[in-house]
Amino acid sequence: MSLFKYLTSRTFFTQAFLAAAIVVGFTFLVIQFLDFRTNHGQEIKVPDLSKMKLEVAEEKLNELDLEVFLLDTVEFNADFPPFTILEQDPKAGSLVKDGRKVYVKLNAGEFTDITIPEFKDKTFRQISATIKSLTLKEGKVTYKPHIAKDVVLQIYQNGRRLRAGDKVKKNSVLDFVLGDGKEVFNEETFSSEEPADTLPPAEEGVTEPVEFKEENGGL
């Protein structure tokens, strides 16, 4: 049989049809297999892990065939419980495939320590700028007799006197005792006696600014 007759014969068309059907069928099976392997069209909604302990988040994600991956512990945020999830990626509500890793960052356990800077012979304006840059907060400001106006004489936290080099937590509130600039120098007022380590109680009926009557002369 000549080639032309074979190409136009029923036998050729039958075999060509069978070959095409096999190719189409094989392609369809491959696509179905890949869809099964990759869960095509099946997506999982990422839950909100905010404020969860890492162990709790891990159990929750395992139930959804997802994984949790800890990236880092970030600076303490008072709006979140210590050692709970502060950030996640993908975000809550995102649609992902099963087996996807959800990257998280944990809140630290507490605020970091801040060192009280040297404040001797510095004005409140100078120290105020430094305090703010250290993420500390200004509290009550009171005055006592002193020759220099607005010079920082003492710093307190919750009634405890602080000195340069002492440690306090970030965001701590500091109270300041400043000179009123009204005192004339004399030996009795500016004695070498160390002031108390606790803040003296305010006198009844006295409004701010309060003048401390303790007999001491500064730092």
Side-chain angles (χ1 to χ4, degrees), residues 105-159:
K105 293 182 180 181
L106 289 187
N107 192 25
E110 61 180 357
F111 285 117
T112 54
D113 286 332
I114 303 295
T115 302
I116 297 297
E118 180 59 63
F119 56 88
K120 183 177 181 180
D121 298 327
K122 293 186 178 181
T123 65
F124 180 66
R125 177 177 292 183
Q126 292 173 314
I127 287 299
S128 178
T130 303
I131 290 299
K132 290 177 181 178
S133 70
L134 293 174
T135 64
L136 299 173
K137 298 179 180 179
E138 297 173 9
K140 183 173 65 175
V141 176
T142 53
Y143 294 84
K144 65 175 293 184
H146 195 273
I147 192 172
K149 181 175 176 56
D150 289 334
V151 70
V152 178
L153 303 178
Q154 292 124 39
I155 298 178
Y156 293 84
Q157 182 200 23
N158 296 327

Side-chain angles (χ1 to χ4, degrees), residues 22-215:
I22 292 173
V23 171
V24 171
F26 179 76
T27 302
F28 176 77
L29 290 175
V30 169
I31 292 175
Q32 292 298 312
F33 175 75
L34 292 176
D35 284 349
F36 173 77
R37 291 285 293 177
T38 59
N39 291 313
H40 181 71
Q42 299 180 19
E43 295 180 316
I44 301 170
K45 189 175 182 179
V46 178
D48 185 2
L49 306 178
S50 177
K51 298 184 179 180
M52 284 188 186
K53 293 285 188 180
L54 186 62
E55 300 78 11
V56 176
E58 187 173 14
E59 292 179 3
K60 189 174 185 67
L61 291 182
N62 285 340
E63 294 174 357
L64 299 173
D65 293 325
L66 300 175
E67 297 181 43
V68 64
F69 186 88
L70 177 61
L71 286 177
D72 196 7
T73 299
V74 298
E75 191 170 353
F76 182 70
N77 185 330
D79 295 331
F80 288 74
F83 305 113
T84 59
I85 293 175
L86 188 65
E87 300 177 19
Q88 69 177 83
D89 182 36
K91 301 294 185 182
S94 301
L95 298 177
V96 298
K97 300 289 183 64
D98 70 336
R100 172 67 186 270
K101 286 185 173 64
V102 179
Y103 300 93
V104 299
K105 293 182 180 181
L106 289 187
N107 192 25
E110 61 180 357
F111 285 117
T112 54
D113 286 332
I114 303 295
T115 302
I116 297 297
E118 180 59 63
F119 56 88
K120 183 177 181 180
D121 298 327
K122 293 186 178 181
T123 65
F124 180 66
R125 177 177 292 183
Q126 292 173 314
I127 287 299
S128 178
T130 303
I131 290 299
K132 290 177 181 178
S133 70
L134 293 174
T135 64
L136 299 173
K137 298 179 180 179
E138 297 173 9
K140 183 173 65 175
V141 176
T142 53
Y143 294 84
K144 65 175 293 184
H146 195 273
I147 192 172
K149 181 175 176 56
D150 289 334
V151 70
V152 178
L153 303 178
Q154 292 124 39
I155 298 178
Y156 293 84
Q157 182 200 23
N158 296 327
R160 178 178 67 92
R161 184 178 177 226
L162 300 174
R163 293 172 173 80
D166 287 346
K167 303 285 187 180
V168 295
K169 296 298 181 183
K170 178 182 176 181
N171 279 357
S172 293
V173 178
L174 306 183
D175 299 322
F176 295 85
V177 179
L178 309 180
D180 61 7
K182 299 177 181 179
E183 186 70 19
V184 177
F185 179 81
N186 63 71
E187 293 183 0
E188 293 183 1
T189 301
F190 296 94
S191 65
S192 60
E193 180 184 349
E194 270 292 299
D197 284 340
T198 56
L199 195 62
E203 298 179 12
E204 293 186 6
V206 178
T207 58
E208 294 186 8
V210 178
E211 293 187 355
F212 290 110
K213 301 303 181 180
E214 57 189 279
E215 293 185 359

